[in-house]
Amino acid sequence: MIEALKARVNGDEALVRRGRFLTTTFLLEVGQTGWLISIFEGRVMSVTSGPFVTPSSSFALRAPEQEWEKFWSSRPPPGSNDLMALIKRRVLKAEGNLQIFMANLRYFKEALAKLRSAGEAA
Amino acid sequence: MHLDLFGRKHRIYVEEAGEGTPLLCLHTAGADGRQYRALMNDERVTRRHRVIAFDMPWHGKSSPPSGWHNEEYQLTSAHYTTMILDIMTALELDRPILIGCSIGGRIALHLALEHPQAFRAIIGLQAGAHVDPYYDLNFLHRPDVHGGEVCAAIVSGLVGPDAPDAERWETLWHYMQGGPGVFKGDLYFYKLDGDIRGRVTQIDTSRCPLFLLSGEYDYSCTPEETLAVAKSIPGSEVTIMKGLGHFPMSENPQEFLKHLLPVLEKIKGR
């Protein structure tokens, strides 16, 4: 499912344009499963699943599987509709160099919301 | 409007529409009075109310006072209270209905406690007694993160899922237009200085009726927090607004008015 990110993000011209100054690799953890997501100038270049021996990333987003499932449902319930809502409830941990995450917060929110069943924006 | 506030000269931008009972509107942190544009343009409100919204100093079209360029803006409970009461005096408002959202909802609780005689009724939107910080507020004001972009992105998820796109994005545009450090300075009141947890129970609704309305999708001031405040204040009336978020009057005015109009009717009947 996470692999779909590449086509869905890259297929959204406006999102890619807003990410044109963003080049990074970040780690997404869905429960025990990790994914390294590489972005070059707003385009997702690769989505690689773990386990990793020595993963290298600018920052990591970690939440239990059931929390991501709610976040990725077509109409997420209150408290699960946004990355900041998950952070507020202390179920999503954002760790690492968060300057990259915060400077591109709208991009990351909208990119990850692409994995919702209906592909809705955040 | 020219006004001395806290011993300094200020120029405050005020908008108003309608005639009748004054309805004084307080915007959220990091935004401005445009959040009440729909109320000012709805005949159901303006035929009986003089709707007034001012931009707080540093916000919207109210420039910061002279000397601002070497200061860090921080909103305190004391300054916020003084500002509202002084503006009411300057506009010669006789016991207005007060409606405030988020930080405006918080100060509404302070005013309900400390100045109940000054208001006909108080309506707190997204009003909680306290919010713990849940991210590093420094990200809102540093040179390597665009202030406008990050402020809007921080709050974007606070808009409810049913908000029409035009209203959602106008609400966020206001955040994108905030001055450097202003949203952060407002949050000093919201997350640190304005904590009223220990005192809300002392609010006496027989002196000033209190209505609390909160959107279901607000994760900053959650429905649970509003319900807890309501439960601790005898005589307060609470409504949880389905599908709405943190900016009801701005993100989805038509849905919000379905909840507000009955409250205004009740206030009229008192």
Side-chain angles (χ1 to χ4, degrees):
Chain A
M1 168 193 173
I2 310 295
E3 291 90 339
L5 200 62
K6 188 173 171 179
R8 291 192 189 178
V9 167
N10 297 349
D12 184 338
E13 203 180 315
L15 180 56
V16 170
R17 179 178 54 79
R18 283 196 297 279
R20 66 195 178 281
F21 297 111
L22 173 63
T23 294
T24 195
T25 297
F26 74 101
L27 177 66
L28 180 74
E29 284 190 4
V30 181
Q32 298 299 309
T33 313
W35 306 80
L36 276 172
I37 299 165
S38 285
I39 299 163
F40 180 75
E41 295 181 354
R43 261 173 218 291
V44 175
M45 306 308 284
S46 62
V47 177
T48 316
S49 69
F52 305 107
V53 183
T54 53
S56 187
S57 67
S58 53
F59 67 92
L61 298 177
R62 303 186 163 96
E65 197 172 347
Q66 65 270 25
E67 292 295 343
W68 285 119
E69 274 172 19
K70 281 192 278 178
F71 176 80
W72 285 320
S73 61
S74 56
R75 187 182 166 95
S80 296
N81 61 322
D82 189 88
L83 297 181
M84 292 310 294
L86 269 60
I87 288 174
K88 167 101 190 304
R89 289 194 295 111
R90 314 295 198 257
V91 293
L92 171 61
K93 295 250 185 297
E95 295 165 355
N97 180 3
L98 295 189
Q99 187 273 339
I100 295 167
F101 177 63
M102 297 300 272
N104 298 278
L105 186 57
R106 180 178 169 194
Y107 177 95
F108 286 110
K109 282 185 172 192
E110 292 183 3
L112 288 172
K114 290 282 176 195
L115 295 173
R116 284 185 183 146
S117 13
E120 292 174 22
Chain B
M1 181 171 73
H2 290 265
L3 192 65
D4 278 358
L5 285 174
F6 339 118
R8 297 174 77 180
K9 287 187 189 312
H10 281 77
R11 225 171 62 241
I12 305 292
Y13 181 74
V14 185
E15 280 184 355
E16 66 169 86
E19 285 176 21
T21 309
L23 177 62
L24 182 63
C25 307
L26 307 177
H27 60 74
T28 64
D32 59 64
R34 282 176 293 178
Q35 290 183 320
Y36 289 93
R37 64 199 177 281
L39 261 67
M40 292 203 184
N41 282 289
D42 196 298
E43 205 261 333
R44 293 170 296 175
V45 180
T46 53
R47 73 181 166 213
R48 288 204 199 101
H49 298 89
R50 178 184 170 199
V51 186
I52 304 150
F54 67 88
D55 295 344
M56 290 165 63
W58 300 76
H59 299 69
K61 291 167 89 168
S62 297
S63 297
S66 170
W68 67 270
H69 55 283
N70 280 324
E71 296 171 21
E72 183 179 3
Y73 167 70
Q74 274 191 338
L75 181 68
T76 63
S77 310
H79 273 196
Y80 202 178
T81 300
T82 302
M83 175 200 318
I84 294 163
L85 297 177
D86 285 2
I87 287 172
M88 279 166 53
T89 305
L91 293 172
E92 298 180 345
L93 302 182
D94 175 31
R95 294 180 62 241
I97 301 168
L98 183 77
I99 180 166
C101 186
S102 184
I103 57 166
R106 175 76 59 72
I107 202 69
L109 297 176
H110 286 250
L111 292 166
L113 176 65
E114 290 160 8
H115 301 277
Q117 74 291 345
F119 301 94
R120 201 164 304 226
I122 290 179
I123 305 168
L125 310 176
Q126 320 306 131
H130 176 69
V131 174
D132 274 327
Y134 53 97
Y135 57 90
D136 179 358
L137 296 178
N138 290 313
F139 278 119
L140 300 177
H141 189 200
R142 52 185 266 181
D144 57 353
V145 176
H146 186 288
E149 297 271 15
V150 74
C151 290
I154 281 281
V155 302
S156 66
L158 292 171
V159 178
D162 302 326
D165 253 5
E167 311 295 359
R168 170 191 304 276
W169 287 101
E170 170 149 2
T171 302
L172 296 177
W173 179 253
H174 302 161
Y175 274 82
M176 292 178 181
Q177 288 192 309
V182 173
F183 183 39
K184 182 187 172 200
D186 285 340
L187 293 180
Y188 175 76
F189 165 74
Y190 193 54
K191 301 191 175 184
L192 297 161
D193 181 75
D195 186 347
I196 191 172
R197 276 175 295 187
R199 298 192 293 146
V200 276
T201 55
Q202 298 163 25
I203 292 174
D204 181 356
T205 57
S206 72
R207 299 185 68 197
C208 178
L210 178 66
F211 298 86
L212 301 170
L213 291 86
S214 281
E216 178 192 24
Y217 274 81
D218 189 349
Y219 53 80
S220 170
C221 170
T222 62
E224 292 73 25
E225 281 155 354
T226 296
L227 289 168
V229 169
K231 201 176 167 189
S232 69
I233 306 172
S236 62
E237 292 193 31
V238 63
T239 307
I240 301 303
M241 302 179 285
K242 281 268 177 205
L244 293 179
H246 189 73
F247 315 95
M249 66 290 176
S250 182
E251 67 176 61
N252 199 341
Q254 291 315 311
E255 278 307 304
F256 171 60
L257 280 162
K258 290 179 188 169
H259 300 284
L260 179 69
L261 291 172
V263 169
L264 293 177
E265 272 304 309
K266 272 190 195 174
I267 294 168
K268 184 175 152 244
R270 291 197 186 205

